[in-house]
Amino acid sequence: MRNIREVLRLKLDLKYSDQQVSHSVRVARSTIRKYLQRAQDAELTWPLPPDLDDIQLEAALFGPVDRTTSGTPTLPDWAQIDRELHRKGVMRRLLWEEHRRQHPDSVQYSTFAEQYRKWKAQSGLSMRQIHRAGEKLFVDYAGLTLGITDPRTGVVHPGQVFVATLGASDYTYVEVTRSQNSEDWLSSHVRALAFFGGVPEIIVPDNLKTGVTHASRYEPELNRAYAEFAEYYGVAIIPARVRKPKDKALVEVHVQIVERRLLAPLRDQVYFSMADANEALWGPLRELNLRPFQKRPGSRFELFTALDQPALRPLPAQPFEIASWKRTTVGLDYHVELAGHHYSVPYRHAKTSVDLRLTPHLVEVFLNSVRIAVHRRVLDTSSTQVRQTTIKEHMPPHHQRHSDWNPQRLQDRAREVGPGTVQLVDALLAAGRHPEQGLRSCQGLFKLAQAYGKERLEAACSRAVFLRAFSYRSVESILKHHLDELPLTSEDPAPRVADHVNVRGPAYYGQDSVLDTAEQGPSFAEHDFDPTLN
């Protein structure tokens, strides 16, 4: 499905030709036309609907396909084709069209071109590449490294040298990075495009693992972060064929030039940071780009300003935010774990395999290319006691109802019943060893209102406060034995809850005020009790 999405993007959004798309995605042009026809039949346009996942896209595009058989195609005389190509103005497509008119059963153009290239390779001849202005940017790593010394330990770390060269002008960018991992690879691309001040049509990398997940001559699979980079800049990625260095001969030559003219003279220098190494490297790089060519007029910089620079497409307003991807499974608690912190996803996706897109600031959760959750990323998990980030809407309904019970809501609910209930709720919240205990006791208290009514609950709570019987069971017993219907023998108002060092008070639950600890309430022994009230 990823190849199909890329075909639709390159054709419908970037308006590339079938041949360019075929080289980029390594799919036959006949297959590309089939994809486009099926997309047209399904009334799909670019961009695709954001909620259209891979399963839905496959269902929309593919149905029963009529298959027809054909005989063996008639192939041309490749030697004659090669001779004709040396004539001025003659192109391969013209020769294919002429051959196709004579032999309607012949192969499609993509097969024609591929078989010609095979014949050319077997003949031992090399085909000269002509690069159009602003078309291709070739990227690779140099074989030589530049040593970066750790000032604390003295250990020398081999800094990797990234090289990028534009096809038409040979204008070159070079920088030193710490490694060849995906983040450094993409960061070098972003800085190279900023250096050139624009975006080419095609980027030609080698088949290194940080860029290409699966190397294939026909259908290479790009690293997902690399494919995302290509979509953001609207550029096609066409990896060089495996064991075909001539596909990127230009950058291979410039890698040698960088190694001989830039890296070799710096081999004995000591650098304590990447910034120092790059500063030392960029001076000779400027000289290289300004130095006149030996066999043709002008310099790399002059050709760049005349050819490549006007043809490059403008950069996006913001540089690409580099992201990494991780495959994981949602837990039974509908959370995914990342570096010791847990992030919620909609509960219906529990036990489902998902993709995490990780940026320095966000954690995005994708299922079948559709984003189902996004969170602000918690980077310092060691300095916080909260080990999870949960969005209420991700919770099942009964979990949401449970999470809604908090001290403030309980006190608001108690005020709807009466002052005696408010006093008892405050006492229950303050008496528990943990807030969860008080919350549960109060929940049970309000459950009694459904069975006995608010008036009886208020009377029972007032009696429990007067007796200092601060528990759910006491109120339940008073209601069950109808003691709430008996009058209180004392005419004094029900005493407030006494302060105590072990009582947490409202401040523990985030209230604005606390009881004045200097104003001590009456002790337990100071109250007279009527035995008949028990």
Side-chain angles (χ1 to χ4, degrees), residues 141-439:
Y141 281 106
L144 294 181
T145 60
L146 205 60
I148 309 298
T149 303
D150 189 329
R152 296 172 298 177
T153 63
V155 175
V156 179
H157 179 83
Q160 306 299 314
V161 181
F162 174 85
V163 181
T165 301
L166 286 169
S169 63
D170 291 359
Y171 196 55
T172 301
Y173 172 74
V174 179
E175 73 170 22
V176 183
T177 62
R178 184 163 297 279
S179 69
Q180 295 187 16
N181 64 22
S182 179
E183 183 176 352
D184 286 333
W185 170 253
L186 292 176
S187 297
S188 295
H189 278 65
V190 172
R191 288 188 287 267
L193 294 182
F195 174 80
F196 296 125
V199 182
E201 297 178 14
I202 300 169
I203 294 180
V204 183
D206 204 349
N207 286 280
L208 72 169
K209 286 296 184 181
T210 50
V212 181
T213 303
H214 175 69
S216 170
R217 177 167 184 167
Y218 301 103
E219 291 189 3
E221 183 178 348
L222 295 182
N223 176 288
R224 189 161 186 176
Y226 201 18
E228 192 177 45
F229 161 87
E231 184 173 352
Y232 182 83
Y233 283 100
V235 65
I237 305 294
I238 305 180
R241 293 171 296 171
V242 179
R243 293 183 295 276
K244 295 292 183 180
K246 290 183 180 180
D247 283 4
K248 53 184 181 67
L250 185 67
V251 75
E252 293 283 355
V253 170
H254 278 75
V255 163
Q256 292 182 358
I257 293 174
V258 167
E259 291 176 345
R260 294 171 182 174
R261 296 186 181 179
L262 275 66
L263 299 181
L266 302 177
R267 64 189 184 280
D268 294 329
Q269 301 298 320
V270 178
Y271 304 103
F272 295 104
S273 68
M274 294 293 172
D276 292 341
N278 280 315
E279 189 64 28
L281 194 61
W282 288 338
L285 175 64
R286 294 188 196 96
E287 297 178 4
L288 174 67
N289 284 324
L290 293 172
R291 182 181 295 124
F293 291 114
Q294 294 181 353
K295 297 182 179 181
R296 50 176 171 163
S299 65
R300 291 174 175 82
F301 178 74
E302 291 173 349
L303 286 182
F304 169 71
T305 55
L307 298 177
D308 279 322
Q309 191 175 45
L312 295 174
R313 289 181 287 108
L315 291 167
Q318 297 294 330
F320 176 67
E321 184 176 34
I322 298 171
S324 59
W325 290 82
K326 177 183 178 182
R327 188 75 172 174
T328 189
T329 301
V330 183
L332 284 174
D333 61 350
Y334 49 89
H335 284 69
V336 293
E337 188 271 337
L338 176 67
H341 197 86
H342 295 77
Y343 303 88
S344 67
V345 300
Y347 69 92
R348 59 184 176 276
H349 300 306
K351 300 177 66 175
T352 302
S353 294
V354 296
D355 295 309
L356 302 184
R357 182 179 182 271
L358 311 175
T359 71
H361 308 291
L362 294 178
V363 175
E364 299 174 278
V365 186
F366 286 83
L367 176 63
N368 293 328
S369 302
V370 176
R371 190 173 73 175
I372 60 176
V374 59
H375 296 273
R376 184 174 297 278
R377 186 171 182 178
V378 178
L379 297 177
D380 186 8
T381 58
S382 61
S383 63
T384 176
Q385 296 180 352
V386 179
R387 295 293 182 179
Q388 68 181 38
T389 302
T390 305
I391 297 176
K392 181 179 178 181
E393 288 72 14
H394 291 170
M395 306 168 68
H398 61 287
H399 287 189
Q400 291 187 30
R401 290 193 295 269
H402 178 76
S403 66
D404 284 341
W405 289 104
N406 54 65
Q408 183 59 50
R409 185 186 174 193
L410 292 172
Q411 290 164 342
D412 293 341
R413 182 80 176 271
R415 279 190 283 271
E416 296 176 2
V417 180
T421 307
V422 171
Q423 286 184 295
L424 184 59
V425 165
D426 289 342
L428 289 174
L429 292 175
R433 290 181 177 273
H434 190 275
E436 184 74 16
Q437 293 177 328
L439 291 175

